[in-house]
Amino acid sequence: MKIAMIDPSLFTGRYDDSLCAALAAEGHDVTLMARPMRDTDAIRPQGYRYDPAYFRLSEGLRARLGEGRAFRLLKAVEYGVACVVGGLGTIRRAGVAHVQWLPLAPADRLMLRRLKGRLPLVHTVHNADAYHADAGVQGRGYRALLDMFDALVVHGGTTVAALTAQGVDPARIHVIPHPPMQLAAAGIDDLASVPDAPVPRILFFGTMRPYKGIDILIDACLNLWRAGHRFELALAGKPFMPMEPLTARVDAAGYGDRLLKDFGFLSEGRLSAHMEKADIIAFPYRHIDSSGAFLSALHHGKAMVTSDAGMFGQLPADVAVRAPAGNAPALAQALLPLIESAAIRQQQGARARAHGEAMGSWKDMAVATIRVYESVMAGRA
């Protein structure tokens, strides 16, 4: 089967790469259509083709323009033009188009109209609330786009419930569990770039957005520091929100030397280095459907602390220490035993690793995804 996998901005590169490689290993002809790869991307296509079909102009000017308003505006215009008049030959020649992300709903609607009825259209709903309601025009109109697809893939019951509450026909929703992922391993230079921790270190890693509750984590840490507990907090990843007001609060409280900041688009190897050198990894999200960051951290065998939002609330009780979403004092209490006891951290880390090892594989996901494609094709016959 010819499959066009579409993630124009490469929002979930490791996920896309893992799924495409698994589909190709099952004998299918797969093309991943996305933006040109950056130095921080670690994708090495195995058995499938990578087509940098989107954002060629803006990515080419990224180093010169930076990532401010001018760059974002250029990307929006470039993508809009591509959706309205751009070539769709690679997609139309495929047996199925599987869209992972829809980066700009007003433009995506126009592209989907050009494709509707020409081939089966499948979409993975990574989050039922597009971009967690913090992306403005980017996600406005996302719900209406869902009706243009023949099938929707989700990763758990939280997303099913959210979509059915929005009026999506449950018959169009297919649940396929999200397997664990592994980022590229940390190299010598990556490990050298992340300082060793002289005291227990809590890590938050990945893109930084309001829904992820970094402010809640900082409040929890400030409570614990003021109570005399010694530990570090590391924040590693690309901010998509103002971070200075949050980090300034730590500095003003006199704990700036306990905060490690590594902001920017970090390579997978560097993120892996942060996970290797951390003792505790925190996911204080206000809301979430499924978390690729959590699933990519499991194999490191570190103690996990999460909120009870979305997939976190459905985890087996011993996989992670949980606190109610949005509750900084409760999060502080969840963190405290892990900060104080290396033995508890080791025990919790072993449970997290074992959970990852017991989860499904990308082969399982590829086989289930093909079944979705086949069901859509059968329904169109």
Side-chain angles (χ1 to χ4, degrees), residues 186-202 230-234 257-262 272-279 302:
I188 294 174
D189 291 343
D190 297 313
L191 292 168
S193 71
V194 180
D196 294 330
V199 293
R201 177 180 293 165
I202 300 168
R230 292 189 56 78
F231 64 95
E232 293 180 344
L233 171 63
D257 60 333
R258 303 186 191 183
L259 179 62
L260 174 63
K261 297 173 288 186
D262 192 4
S272 292
H274 275 287
M275 284 187 270
E276 288 190 27
K277 295 201 173 184
D279 299 284
K302 301 303 172 97

Side-chain angles (χ1 to χ4, degrees), residues 39-309:
D39 292 340
T40 50
D41 295 319
I43 292 176
R44 301 292 182 269
Q46 299 291 319
Y48 71 90
R49 286 181 298 280
Y50 188 95
D51 180 5
Y54 299 98
F55 301 113
R56 292 186 180 185
L57 174 60
S58 50
E59 285 293 319
L61 295 173
R62 177 169 167 261
R64 185 185 309 173
L65 294 176
E67 295 178 355
R69 180 178 175 83
F71 177 68
R72 295 193 300 271
L73 180 60
L74 176 60
K75 284 187 69 176
V77 172
E78 183 181 7
Y79 188 65
V81 170
C83 288
V84 174
V85 298
L88 298 175
T90 299
I91 302 175
R92 286 174 172 167
R93 286 190 294 271
V96 62
H98 188 159
V99 182
Q100 291 295 332
W101 289 92
L102 296 157
L104 188 62
D108 289 312
R109 181 176 64 253
L110 301 175
M111 178 187 70
L112 292 173
R113 283 177 179 171
R114 296 172 65 195
L115 294 172
K116 184 68 175 173
R118 292 178 175 269
L119 77 167
L121 298 177
V122 176
H123 174 47
T124 296
V125 182
H126 292 275
N127 300 296
D129 186 3
Y131 304 100
H132 301 277
D134 63 18
V137 70
Q138 187 175 27
R140 195 172 301 144
Y142 174 74
R143 167 60 188 89
L145 299 182
L146 301 184
D147 295 331
M148 303 180 76
F149 289 93
D150 300 293
L152 303 173
V153 173
V154 304
H155 295 314
T158 299
T159 317
V160 174
L163 291 179
T164 53
Q166 294 174 21
V168 176
D169 181 357
R172 295 172 50 235
I173 304 173
H174 303 260
V175 180
I176 304 178
H178 191 323
M181 299 184 291
Q182 289 196 20
L183 303 184
I188 294 174
D189 291 343
D190 297 313
L191 292 168
S193 71
V194 180
D196 294 330
V199 293
R201 177 180 293 165
I202 300 168
L203 171 67
F204 178 96
F205 77 97
T207 56
M208 299 180 188
R209 300 181 185 274
Y211 79 89
K212 292 190 174 183
I214 303 167
D215 57 323
I216 299 165
L217 177 60
I218 286 178
D219 283 342
C221 289
L222 285 170
N223 289 344
L224 292 168
W225 282 325
R226 288 167 178 148
H229 302 288
R230 292 189 56 78
F231 64 95
E232 293 180 344
L233 171 63
L235 304 175
K238 171 67 176 177
F240 288 90
M241 57 182 281
M243 293 301 297
E244 195 277 334
L246 298 179
T247 60
R249 288 171 51 209
V250 178
D251 293 334
Y255 302 109
D257 60 333
R258 303 186 191 183
L259 179 62
L260 174 63
K261 297 173 288 186
D262 192 4
F263 294 152
F265 276 116
L266 305 184
S267 69
E268 289 189 2
R270 182 127 166 188
L271 290 173
S272 292
H274 275 287
M275 284 187 270
E276 288 190 27
K277 295 201 173 184
D279 299 284
I280 303 161
I281 305 180
F283 301 88
Y285 295 12
R286 286 182 165 85
H287 47 88
I288 190 69
D289 288 9
S290 62
S291 170
F294 177 84
L295 294 168
S296 69
L298 288 170
H299 75 281
H300 285 279
K302 301 303 172 97
M304 306 285 215
V305 177
T306 74
S307 72
D308 60 357

